[in-house]
Amino acid sequence: MSNSNDLLQFAVSQGIIDLSLLETQIEMTKREQYLKQHPYEIWQGKNGSWYTYLPDKEKGRVLKRKSTRKTIEDEVIAYWKAEEENPTVKEVFEEWNSYRLSLKKISPATHLRNEQIFKRHFEKLGKERIKNISSADIEDFLEEQIPKYDLTAKAFANLKTITKGFLKRAKKRKLIDFNVEELFQELDVSDSNFAKSHKEDYEEVFDDYEMGVMIDYLERHLDIVNLAILLMFITGLRVGEVVVLRHSDFEENTFRVRRTATRYKNDYGRYVYDIKENPKTQAGVRTVVIAMNYAWITKTIEETNPDEDYIFVKNGKLMNTQMVRERLTQLCDKLGVYHKSPHKIRKTYGSILLDNHVDNRFIIQQMGHTDISCTETHYHRNRKTIEQKTRILSDIPEFQRR
């Protein structure tokens, strides 16, 4: 870069390049670009004046009149130059999201999730110019999203995160002048505003009967995908952690969790499955123990794709999480079990550990949680069937007919 600057300075000093002429040529080229992007005709009226239209937020367009062609062109150029320095909300968001990805502050999967959140909520506001919106506009917009989409507290927190992020980027670029932090502090939102997400126990965990039927079928039809699902049932692993296990992770009846699968969109808009060299959270880095009754599964895993680094390789390619999800759906249909996602297997495992009064420290180590409250609050569900609950109540002396 310094050599190029030195060369330019030498050319100017020797009169090879006329700097003022160069600046004029650049200015003329820029003028032509602005005029080329102007969508309306510039014409001269019968009275000798020059006319054109300029876009208007309220009216759609407004007629402009000047005495000479140059002055009308100057007004057109001034308008589009101002617009160029006033990007849309969507453009600011995309710059912020891509900038964080380039700095590796977020993963491709988070970049994709941010895009999806923005697309859902900002379809209309995203087209507005950033300098044309006020803090009140943003406050009203955010508060309106809660009833409009029946948002839970978690969903609203995700929306606030991306909104605060790109607004801070706009503030840094001097595109807005209001206090971003103050805006979020003044939001008129309380817990009672949010939708309460409640699901029945049978939707959240496999009960004793369902788990027995599933495991029996998996053991009798133990192909590579069913092996992955069975490992989830007996260890509580996340589906993304299972599919990227290596043979070197296993030792006797234990294995190390050190990575997870991730998904994002490439430059062509296609989903790409990749490996993230660390689990979902720091607590996810752990060594998981397999119950001795299932110690045989480590031998089966050892014999699965022994020449591959990764275990769950099918047709020469690493299995992705979607393959496991689709198989689990097929199994639920086949065995007459209520449809549940792979994460419900993990909830089932956590509930089993809590129901059997396993030591809290051991539970959070197996689950990869930071503390036991996470397991108890989000994973503990009642796995007893109606028949089991009826039997428990029927055995209580006070409820026995005399």
Side-chain angles (χ1 to χ4, degrees), residues 37 72 119-120 131 151 184 199 239 252 254 262 370:
Q37 77 181 58
I72 197 74
K119 184 177 180 180
R120 181 189 189 195
K131 289 183 179 179
L151 295 182
F184 284 88
K199 292 185 178 180
V239 61
E252 296 181 352
T254 68
T262 186
T370 53

Side-chain angles (χ1 to χ4, degrees), residues 43-229:
W43 76 92
Q44 187 177 27
K46 292 180 180 180
N47 59 358
S49 296
W50 287 84
Y51 298 87
T52 192
Y53 289 101
L54 288 179
D56 184 84
K57 183 177 179 181
E58 295 180 358
K59 299 178 181 179
R61 65 180 187 176
V62 291
L63 183 65
K64 295 293 180 180
R65 172 187 170 184
K66 294 293 178 181
S67 59
T68 67
R69 184 179 184 96
K70 184 179 183 304
T71 52
I72 197 74
E73 287 183 351
D74 286 345
E75 181 148 354
V76 168
I77 290 165
Y79 174 84
W80 290 113
K81 187 175 181 181
E83 287 295 292
E84 186 177 67
E85 296 169 354
N86 185 17
T88 64
V89 171
K90 182 180 180 181
E91 289 168 344
V92 175
F93 161 76
E94 289 174 343
E95 181 195 345
W96 166 77
N97 201 31
S98 296
Y99 181 64
R100 286 178 62 78
L101 179 65
S102 69
L103 295 180
K104 297 184 178 180
K105 289 188 174 183
I106 58 173
S107 67
T110 301
H111 182 269
L112 173 61
R113 187 178 71 242
N114 290 346
E115 282 186 345
Q116 292 169 336
I117 295 170
F118 186 90
K119 184 177 180 180
R120 181 189 189 195
H121 296 279
F122 283 89
E123 182 178 0
K124 184 177 179 181
L125 191 61
K127 298 174 184 177
E128 296 289 333
R129 298 286 170 178
I130 191 73
K131 289 183 179 179
N132 299 345
I133 62 172
S134 65
S135 60
D137 292 331
I138 296 293
E139 284 182 45
D140 290 345
F141 164 78
L142 289 173
E143 290 170 10
E144 288 164 2
Q145 299 307 295
I146 300 172
K148 182 177 181 180
Y149 292 97
D150 203 21
L151 295 182
T152 61
K154 182 178 180 180
F156 186 65
N158 291 336
L159 174 60
K160 285 199 303 180
T161 296
I162 70 163
T163 306
K164 182 184 288 188
F166 77 73
L167 286 178
K168 283 188 171 182
R169 181 69 178 170
K171 179 78 170 181
K172 186 175 182 180
R173 290 182 54 192
K174 299 184 174 18
L175 298 173
I176 58 175
D177 57 8
F178 54 81
N179 188 310
V180 177
E181 290 293 345
E182 191 174 279
L183 183 160
F184 284 88
Q185 290 171 6
E186 293 179 355
L187 281 176
D188 185 17
V189 174
S190 65
D191 290 343
S192 61
N193 296 126
F194 299 114
K196 302 299 185 289
S197 179
H198 177 76
K199 292 185 178 180
E200 300 295 335
D201 291 331
Y202 71 86
E203 298 176 277
E204 292 291 283
V205 290
F206 291 82
D207 63 31
D208 285 340
Y209 170 76
E210 291 174 330
M211 183 171 173
V213 168
M214 291 289 292
I215 288 183
D216 181 63
Y217 184 89
L218 292 168
E219 290 179 353
R220 287 187 292 107
H221 303 83
L222 204 57
D223 67 4
I224 191 167
V225 185
N226 286 353
L227 178 61
I229 296 173

Side-chain angles (χ1 to χ4, degrees), residues 264-299:
Y264 61 92
K265 277 186 180 179
N266 62 17
D267 294 338
Y268 302 101
R270 296 176 183 171
Y271 283 110
V272 175
Y273 291 89
D274 202 355
I275 299 171
K276 186 178 178 182
E277 291 299 332
N278 51 280
K280 184 178 179 182
T281 64
Q282 187 58 40
V285 178
R286 63 198 189 278
T287 297
V288 177
V289 180
I290 300 174
M292 288 309 298
N293 285 341
Y294 280 96
W296 58 266
I297 204 171
T298 58
K299 181 65 176 176

Side-chain angles (χ1 to χ4, degrees), residues 297-312:
I297 204 171
T298 58
K299 181 65 176 176
T300 303
I301 286 172
E302 183 182 339
E303 295 169 353
T304 301
N305 292 316
D307 297 327
E308 299 280 356
D309 182 18
Y310 292 93
I311 298 160
F312 294 101

